[in-house]
């Protein structure tokens, strides 16, 4: 149940946009002009008719009360979720100026909401039934796992030989060989059902001729890939936590079998990455009581946004369960007791020096870790030659921004928010630098997404 008085901010609505074009188009529809018959109800439904270029207006309805984030239905032909009409409707609702009055949903909106509620109940019942009935034939599952492990071992052994050949022939040969050799090696790892090895091999292929110092970067990544290979081949002798991390890095998907942890989870950041096959959504959460930072992953087919969407700055009362692996932040979202709602909450911060030390400590549990989630307190974005850094307002240390962060519009939003004054910034800190994802002004103020 969502309360009529609880409103999101415009930034929280626009953080749901699948791309910049949708954000711009949705902003234009956040005015009452093209809309009619709008309304909302206490059960968390917002609806309205939006006049487009055709004679018949588009029917748009949003379920705000879904604890996994809002769900959308629009009669427009767009394949984006949410479409610009859903974003515009939510912006009108978030304004709270009476443009979207309380009322009872029309039949077309009510039928969709009723269907969603019914399917959610059926899914919950089916999940409980499946958990109680057990899972298939355990002996057959064991044999499948053994066969896959054998294929991965064969792939890791072959990869070790290819790395040895590369180093024996000299790194200069990698530049001459071109990307085809790496792609063929990655395909062999896919055949071995070792998707994690395949991904790291493709990353290796992008390093030769990538700029000054590429041989050093290639050697470093080869060493990490060799370490992962050896971790798999000698996994029986590893501590359980590290062995679980190796399995995860190799590409063996474990299950979230940790004990459920209930907390009030603040949505710190949400952003998508995509390749030719998959769109991956990363959602960072902070537990108000536990002080834990956790990661939700959600996936969608190439070109389509994942279903799970949680606007930055909202808080949900929910349980999460951890995935195996030493120091791994990934969790699965379990039972949710309330829909996401705004709250005046932000995580405590660290200095740049403390953040760098935290990343170093995390590498002991996971040597393949690219970054860790940290919140920096009282830092100022400042130029550093051709680059940028986040400098400690009360000390002499600073963290450089990653090249990715420097190329994104979020950098200028951060600079504008700061205006030369200290800010609190959440992001990912690693060997390439710091990537800011969300920021808060000093004192009171809403979270600003930088993604």
């Amino acid at each position: 149940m969502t309360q009529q008085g609880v409103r999101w901010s415009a930034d929280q609505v626009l953080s749901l946009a699948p791309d910049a074009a949708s954000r711009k188009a949705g902003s234009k529809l956040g005015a009452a002009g093209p809309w009619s018959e709008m309304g909302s109800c206490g059960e968390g439904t917002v609806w309205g008719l939006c006049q487009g270029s055709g004679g018949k207006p588009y029917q748009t309805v949003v379920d705000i009360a879904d604890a996994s984030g809002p769900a959308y239905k629009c009669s427009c032909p767009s394949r984006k979720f949410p479409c610009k009409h859903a974003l515009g409707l939510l912006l009108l609702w978030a304004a709270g100026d009476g443009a979207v009055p309380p009322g009872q949903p029309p039949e077309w909106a009510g039928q969709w909401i009723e269907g969603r509620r019914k399917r959610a109940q059926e899914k919950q019942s089916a999940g409980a039934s499946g958990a109680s009935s057990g899972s298939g034939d355990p002996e057959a599952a064991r044999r499948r796992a053994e066969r896959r492990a054998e294929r991965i071992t064969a792939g890791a052994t072959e990869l070790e030989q290819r790395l040895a050949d590369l180093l024996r022939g000299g790194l200069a040969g990698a530049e001459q060989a071109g990307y085809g050799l790496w792609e063929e090696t990655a395909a062999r790892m896919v055949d071995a059902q070792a998707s994690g090895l395949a991904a790291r091999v493709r990353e290796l292929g992008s390093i030769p001729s990538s700029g000054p110092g590429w041989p050093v970067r290639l050697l470093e990544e080869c060493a990490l890939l060799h370490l992962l290979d050896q971790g798999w081949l000698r996994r029986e002798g590893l501590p359980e936590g590290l062995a679980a991390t190796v399995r995860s890095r190799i590409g063996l998907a474990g299950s979230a079998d940790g004990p459920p942890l209930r907390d009030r989870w603040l949505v710190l950041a949400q952003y998508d990455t995509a390749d030719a096959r998959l769109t991956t959504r990363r959602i960072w959460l902070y537990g108000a009581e536990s002080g834990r930072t956790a990661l939700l992953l959600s996936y969608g087919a190439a070109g389509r946004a994942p279903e799970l969407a949680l606007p930055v700055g909202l808080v949900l009362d929910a349980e999460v369960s951890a995935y195996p692996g030493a120091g791994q932040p990934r969790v699965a979202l379990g039972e949710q007791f309330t829909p996401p709602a705004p709250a005046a909450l932000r995580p405590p911060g660290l200095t740049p020096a403390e953040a760098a030390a935290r990343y170093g400590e995390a590498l002991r549990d996971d040597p393949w870790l690219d970054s860790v989630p940290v919140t920096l307190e009282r830092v100022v974005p400042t130029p550093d030659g051709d680059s940028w850094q986040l400098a400690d307002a009360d000390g002499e240390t600073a963290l450089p921004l990653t090249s990715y962060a420097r190329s994104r519009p979020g950098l200028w939003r951060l600079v504008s928010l700061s205006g030369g004054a200290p800010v609190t910034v959440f992001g990912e800190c690693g060997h390439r630098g710091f990537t800011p994802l969300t920021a808060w002004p000093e004192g009171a103020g809403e979270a600003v997404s930088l993604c």
Side-chain angles (χ1 to χ4, degrees), residues 326-348:
Q328 297 300 303
R330 187 185 175 189
V331 298
L333 188 60
E335 184 176 357
Q336 298 147 75
F337 303 97
T338 61
L345 177 65
R346 67 175 69 178

Side-chain angles (χ1 to χ4, degrees), residues 15 17 29 109 122 138 148 213 243 294 313 381 403 410 424:
S15 71
L29 290 174
E122 291 174 349
R148 182 175 183 185
S403 58
T424 298

Side-chain angles (χ1 to χ4, degrees), residues 214-394:
W214 71 261
V216 174
R217 295 194 297 275
L218 180 61
L219 186 60
E220 290 173 347
E221 292 302 321
C222 284
L224 285 172
L225 187 52
H226 167 68
L227 183 65
L228 183 56
D229 270 343
Q230 289 298 314
W232 171 262
L233 296 174
R234 305 182 185 187
R235 62 192 181 280
E236 300 299 334
L238 297 178
E240 178 52 36
L242 183 56
T245 299
V246 168
R247 290 193 293 269
S248 174
R249 293 294 183 184
I250 286 285
L252 285 174
S255 58
D257 54 4
L261 173 63
R262 182 174 177 178
D263 207 333
R264 293 174 60 247
W265 297 99
L266 169 67
V267 182
L268 288 172
Q270 173 181 291
Y271 67 94
D272 295 349
T273 56
D275 55 30
R277 298 171 294 276
L278 197 66
T279 298
T280 302
R281 174 164 294 165
R282 299 167 67 87
I283 301 176
W284 286 108
L285 305 175
Y286 170 75
E289 278 75 42
S290 65
R292 176 174 177 175
T293 303
L295 174 66
L296 293 175
L297 294 181
S298 182
Y299 302 97
R304 294 186 66 89
E307 288 188 7
L308 183 61
L310 297 172
V312 172
L314 299 190
V315 172
L316 63 155
D317 183 1
E319 291 180 341
V320 301
S321 296
Y323 281 81
Q328 297 300 303
R330 187 185 175 189
V331 298
L333 188 60
E335 184 176 357
Q336 298 147 75
F337 303 97
T338 61
L345 177 65
R346 67 175 69 178
L350 305 175
T351 66
E354 291 169 337
R358 176 166 293 184
Y359 175 58
E361 293 168 358
L363 289 175
R364 292 183 301 190
D365 292 327
D366 184 353
W368 307 277
L369 190 64
D370 286 329
S371 61
V372 293
V374 295
T375 300
L376 300 177
E377 192 170 40
R378 290 188 52 77
V379 291
V380 181
T382 57
D384 180 27
D386 294 333
S387 184
W388 282 81
Q389 62 184 5
L390 291 177
D392 187 350
D394 304 314

Side-chain angles (χ1 to χ4, degrees), residues 22-82:
S22 298
R23 188 179 296 112
K24 182 177 180 180
S27 297
K28 292 181 178 179
L29 290 174
W35 291 93
S36 62
E37 300 183 28
M38 294 177 292
S40 63
C41 70
E43 293 183 352
T45 309
V46 181
W47 62 86
L49 301 178
C50 187
Q51 185 62 53
S53 56
K56 187 176 181 180
Y58 297 123
Q59 297 176 336
T60 307
V61 57
V62 182
D63 180 9
I64 308 168
D66 192 308
S68 297
Y72 323 92
K73 174 69 174 178
C74 186
S75 58
C76 75
S78 175
R79 297 184 62 188
K80 296 180 179 180
F81 296 94

Side-chain angles (χ1 to χ4, degrees), residues 159 179 181-191 194-208 218 225 275 277:
L159 183 55
Y179 189 75
L181 173 65
W182 301 102
E183 185 57 39
E184 188 262 337
T185 303
R188 295 284 295 163
M189 297 304 103
V190 172
D191 292 341
S195 59
L197 291 180
R200 298 193 79 91
V201 168
R202 290 192 175 97
E203 290 178 7
L204 283 181
S206 66
I207 295 177
L218 180 61
L225 187 52
D275 55 30
R277 298 171 294 276

